[in-house]
Amino acid sequence: MRRFIIIFVSLLFIAIHYGAILYVNSSLLSNFFGSGVVGLLFILGALGNILLFLLAPKLIQKFGKRILLFFSLVISILTTVGMTFFTTELPVAISFVIYTSFVSIIFYCLDIFLEELSTDARTGEIRGIYLTCVALGIALGPFMLAMLSTANSGLKPTYLAAAFLLIPPLLLSIFSFKSRTPRAHHPYHHSLRLPFGAWWRARSIRHVTLARLALEAFFSFMVAYAPIYLHNNLGFEWSELGIMFAIMLLPFIFLEWPAGELADRLLGEKELMVVGFLITGASLLIMPFIGKVFLAWTVILLISRIGASLIESMTESYFFKHVSAEETGLLSIFRLTRSMGNVSGVVVGTIALSLFPFEKTFFVLAIVIFLGLKESLHLRDTL
């Protein structure tokens, strides 16, 4: 029990850190670069993350999870501090790309520590707590943004506080994290070559993965471009946006677990996934017509995340019902949707901004979501 508590406490600190700066990184970069360069930096960070994700099993086999976790935390702290105090373009860009490459490796290491402690009988419960901690932390992050951001100091207090939030997990990684599995016999070593042929032939797996990719592209686009639009174009203050984003993230805390229960008992994943895509797509079609109205944007962002939370929980549930624990290659391909979505979402946004006014890019993102809807309609239902 003590080791579970250590992991969940660390996870909460890391998630608050992540949520505090997740939606402001693009605005920080926009102080130094145009939107095209901002998009390029997000792409470079995502590509770095893909590379590290593919190398992570090899790194764990050579150095161990504890060292990789410690190193990733140190790098994340240093680059967050760098984004706080650097005042010229190149150091800020380098700090952001390195940070984006490494921060998800922290979650990856904690995920493996948790897997070692989990038993099959309690996997659902433990994973539910894990996802709730992540969602809660990411939702609390924007509240910290709202409290710390000021007109005079801008985003610096938020970034500095976010860096300090990683110190408790760093200390725990030194003194409390231990592996139950000897490094030489670690089960997470696998080839870098993934079974894309088998993935393509497994139609249900392919369709749910592509549906998840559309969702991850949505997340990437909204993280990179929505804060710029709301702050720079519409003129919302960060204190307003912090509250707006925190409310927006509530469905991930309160809806995903009950939705999973509903899919298991009554409806099946396909129906709820389709509803989620329809809700998210419809909300995107409305966004270009909303002006600087705090309540209207709060409501529409909340509705969009109600749909997104349904898609996230249903794609997760559907996928794991169709694979076994031994199919690690398919699992790796499914996990890569986040990094690939980070690339594709920013690429879509960069191209859309070069062709259309900023507010019209939400229509382009709606097309991506409706492509995800098309993939979900091809699924064979589980009930």
Side-chain angles (χ1 to χ4, degrees), residues 78-135:
L78 292 176
T79 50
T80 303
V81 172
M83 288 187 284
T84 306
F85 292 110
F86 287 139
T87 57
T88 54
E89 289 88 348
L90 185 60
V92 170
I94 293 173
S95 295
F96 172 76
V97 171
I98 294 174
Y99 171 83
T100 306
S101 300
F102 273 91
V103 68
S104 62
I105 299 298
I106 300 173
F107 290 100
Y108 177 80
C109 291
L110 289 178
D111 193 44
I112 296 175
F113 273 110
L114 190 62
E115 183 65 23
E116 286 189 349
L117 295 175
S118 302
T119 60
D120 289 342
R122 298 186 62 198
T123 295
E125 176 189 359
I126 291 168
R127 288 294 164 179
I129 297 171
Y130 178 92
L131 291 173
T132 301
C133 284
V134 173

Side-chain angles (χ1 to χ4, degrees), residues 35 37 87 91 139 211 244 262 284 328 330 376:
S35 58
V37 177
T87 57
M244 195 182 296
L262 185 62
L284 288 168
T328 57
L330 295 177
S376 68

